[in-house]
Amino acid sequence: MKITKEVKIALVGIVALITLFFGLNYLKGLNLFAIDSKYYLAFDDISGLSASSPIYADGYKVGVVKKINYDYAKSGSILVEVGIDPQLRIPKGSSAEIVSDLLGNVRVNLLLANNPRERMEVGQTINGMINGGAMSQLKDMVPAIEKMLPKLDSIMASLNTLLADPAIAQSLHNVQAITSNLTTTTAEANRLVAQLNNQVPGMMSKTNGVLDNTTTLTATLNEKVASVDVAATMAKIDQTLANVNQITEQMSSREGSLGLLMNDPSLYNNLNATMLSADSLLVNLRQHPKRYVHFSVFGKKDK
């Protein structure tokens, strides 16, 4: 049987359509020959979720979205049919969330509950919610940013007014002059440091000479100190202290003239009385000298 040209073209077209169908589904992440478990996710808002969107559990892709069913009779009730890897055991109490990134990519995260004893049966419905992620945080920041805009405008206006002030330009000119002066000063300092570096070897030689002299003087002093008879000197000092102690004890005792003079009050009183008598005698002698001295040119008269 001879196959006509038209039949060949038709067969090629059919094969091409089949290949295109399976290729598009493969690119979407839908594997028509894969065996998976069917579950349903219930959302009030799917936030742009579409068929072939990936499903992750703990960061690992475990399935894709198969179909989305919108209940027109009950507003806000959306049932999403998903295909999950049959090896995944979904514990009871698990939930799902829709996450969107900054590029607009949407995916579903399964939040697995910590319930190893009970698991959900295939075909059951998992409650879902929306997690705005970074976009939600950005939306929360928008009111605060709107409140800040008038303040930013005021700050910019004040900054423009400040920059338009001629004093700012003059200050910048002064800063430039100060910078040039600092540059000149730095160059002078570098030159001075270079001169000091040239003089350092001579200064170091002089310092070494002084240190040598100091070392020699120290050695001489040590020799003189070593030649001193420290033991004899300390013996003389001890003897002197013993003599001082002996004199102190004699002064404190009532034996001897010095001890009696310092400790006997009667001797002090007698000495004091004698001094008073002598003083009275001298006063009387000055007042009545003729009572005590008789002087005559012609000799002594007979009484």
Side-chain angles (χ1 to χ4, degrees):
M1 178 179 178
K2 186 178 179 179
I3 301 176
T4 61
K5 185 177 181 180
E6 290 79 5
V7 174
K8 293 180 179 180
I9 294 173
L11 292 175
V12 171
I14 293 171
V15 172
L17 289 176
I18 294 173
T19 304
L20 180 62
F21 175 75
F22 285 103
L24 290 176
N25 284 290
Y26 178 78
L27 292 176
K28 291 180 179 180
L30 299 176
N31 189 355
L32 299 179
F33 299 101
I35 300 175
D36 50 19
S37 300
K38 184 185 295 184
Y39 291 90
Y40 294 95
L41 306 178
F43 294 98
D44 294 331
D45 184 355
I46 59 174
S47 185
L49 186 68
S50 60
S52 74
S53 293
I55 300 174
Y56 291 87
D58 298 329
Y60 181 77
K61 185 178 179 181
V62 295
V64 293
V65 176
K66 294 288 189 179
K67 186 171 29 176
I68 299 175
N69 299 320
Y70 182 75
D71 189 356
Y72 291 94
K74 185 178 180 182
S75 178
S77 178
I78 303 174
L79 199 61
V80 178
E81 180 182 334
V82 297
I84 304 296
D85 189 339
Q87 296 181 1
L88 178 64
R89 294 169 55 90
I90 301 178
K92 281 189 177 182
S94 300
S95 60
E97 64 176 5
I98 298 175
V99 181
S100 301
D101 57 18
L102 295 176
L103 299 178
N105 299 319
V106 182
R107 70 177 187 180
V108 177
N109 288 334
L110 287 179
L111 306 178
L112 302 178
N114 186 13
N115 186 7
R117 295 185 178 180
E118 297 179 327
R119 67 172 182 173
M120 300 186 68
E121 299 295 335
V122 176
Q124 288 188 332
T125 302
I126 302 173
N127 295 324
M129 58 183 177
I130 295 178
N131 184 355
M135 293 299 295
S136 177
Q137 296 178 0
L138 184 60
K139 290 179 181 178
D140 295 337
M141 292 173 61
V142 168
I145 295 174
E146 290 179 350
K147 292 180 181 179
M148 291 176 59
L149 288 177
K151 296 181 180 179
L152 291 175
D153 292 338
S154 177
I155 293 172
M156 292 301 297
S158 300
L159 183 60
N160 291 330
T161 303
L162 181 62
L163 293 176
D165 192 351
I168 298 297
Q170 184 64 32
S171 299
L172 293 176
H173 179 70
N174 295 334
V175 170
Q176 184 178 3
I178 292 172
T179 304
S180 61
N181 292 332
L182 287 175
T183 303
T184 305
T185 304
T186 303
E188 293 293 335
N190 292 333
R191 187 160 46 252
L192 179 61
V193 170
Q195 294 177 359
L196 290 175
N197 289 332
N198 294 330
Q199 296 177 1
V200 163
M203 295 172 62
M204 290 300 295
S205 61
K206 293 180 179 179
T207 303
N208 291 331
V210 173
L211 290 176
D212 293 337
N213 294 332
T214 303
T215 303
T216 303
L217 181 60
T218 303
T220 303
L221 183 60
N222 290 332
E223 291 177 358
K224 291 183 178 180
V225 170
S227 63
V228 175
D229 190 355
V230 178
T233 303
M234 294 302 297
K236 292 180 181 179
I237 293 173
D238 292 338
Q239 184 63 35
T240 303
L241 291 175
N243 294 333
V244 172
N245 290 331
Q246 184 178 1
I247 294 171
T248 303
E249 291 177 357
Q250 291 178 359
M251 292 176 63
S252 299
S253 66
R254 293 180 175 272
E255 297 179 357
S257 301
L258 186 59
L260 290 173
L261 180 62
M262 296 184 67
N263 298 306
D264 191 357
S266 61
L267 181 59
Y268 170 77
N269 294 330
N270 293 332
L271 288 174
N272 191 20
T274 303
M275 293 299 295
L276 291 175
S277 299
D279 184 63
S280 299
L281 178 60
L282 290 175
V283 171
N284 194 8
L285 179 61
R286 284 197 301 268
Q287 293 177 355
H288 307 285
K290 293 180 179 182
R291 293 180 181 178
Y292 304 96
V293 179
H294 299 280
F295 179 75
S296 175
V297 178
F298 301 101
K300 183 177 179 182
K301 294 182 179 180
D302 296 330
K303 290 185 179 179

